[in-house]
Amino acid sequence: MMRMILVGIGLTALVGCAQIPTQQSMVEQAQWHSLGERDGRQGKPLKTADELVQLANQYQVVVTDYDQYLEAYQQGVNSYCTEQDPYELGRRGRPYFGVCDDKDQGRFKLHWQRGRDKFFRPEFPD
């Protein structure tokens, strides 16, 4: 019985992981909107049009839609800058690429840096 439960849990985990789209799958399926939104929501740097073309060429995709990527990226960044806790990102040692700097006069980066100080020096006061 226990073995059946473990097999069930393992299969559920595999199915869940298989449904998370990767950068490769989004590019291969020309899901430029999804790729842009994901990059923005993760606070990744904006890809240039040339970088998008290079990425498409890597997976033998002929057409890119940079406007679609860019629009979705901006939506994703807006979510990232409002939904993420910058202090916690820094405290966990996560990188920050400056994507919120134009939106909040540097407050996001300031709180991220305080968390980052805590990450490198746990004895550093909050």
Side-chain angles (χ1 to χ4, degrees):
M1 180 66 172
M2 184 61 146
R3 185 176 181 172
M4 295 285 286
I5 292 172
L6 291 175
V7 168
I9 291 172
L11 288 175
T12 302
L14 284 175
V15 169
C17 291
Q19 294 175 356
I20 298 171
T22 63
Q23 176 176 277
Q24 178 179 348
S25 70
M26 286 186 266
V27 171
E28 288 175 340
Q29 296 171 22
Q31 295 177 341
W32 307 114
H33 187 273
S34 297
L35 180 63
E37 185 175 20
R38 189 199 68 173
D39 283 356
R41 281 187 173 275
Q42 292 179 355
K44 292 183 176 182
L46 175 69
K47 288 177 176 51
T48 65
D50 287 340
E51 289 172 326
L52 210 61
V53 168
Q54 289 174 359
L55 190 59
N57 289 340
Q58 181 179 346
Y59 298 111
Q60 289 82 41
V61 175
V62 179
V63 179
T64 62
D65 190 336
Y66 190 70
D67 291 336
Q68 218 179 55
Y69 172 85
L70 183 59
E71 179 184 333
Y73 177 83
Q74 293 303 329
Q75 292 169 356
V77 165
N78 288 338
S79 294
Y80 175 82
C81 295
T82 57
E83 295 172 7
Q84 290 294 324
D85 179 346
Y87 177 82
E88 279 301 308
L89 289 174
R91 193 178 68 73
R92 290 189 211 145
R94 298 280 164 67
Y96 172 61
F97 298 104
V99 299
C100 303
D101 291 351
D102 293 340
K103 299 182 182 320
D104 71 353
Q105 295 80 39
R107 288 188 300 272
F108 192 100
K109 185 174 184 175
L110 175 70
H111 293 293
W112 173 83
Q113 187 62 55
R114 287 182 181 152
R116 188 83 167 164
D117 291 343
K118 188 75 169 173
F119 174 75
F120 283 112
R121 296 188 348 211
E123 73 283 353
F124 190 77
D126 284 328

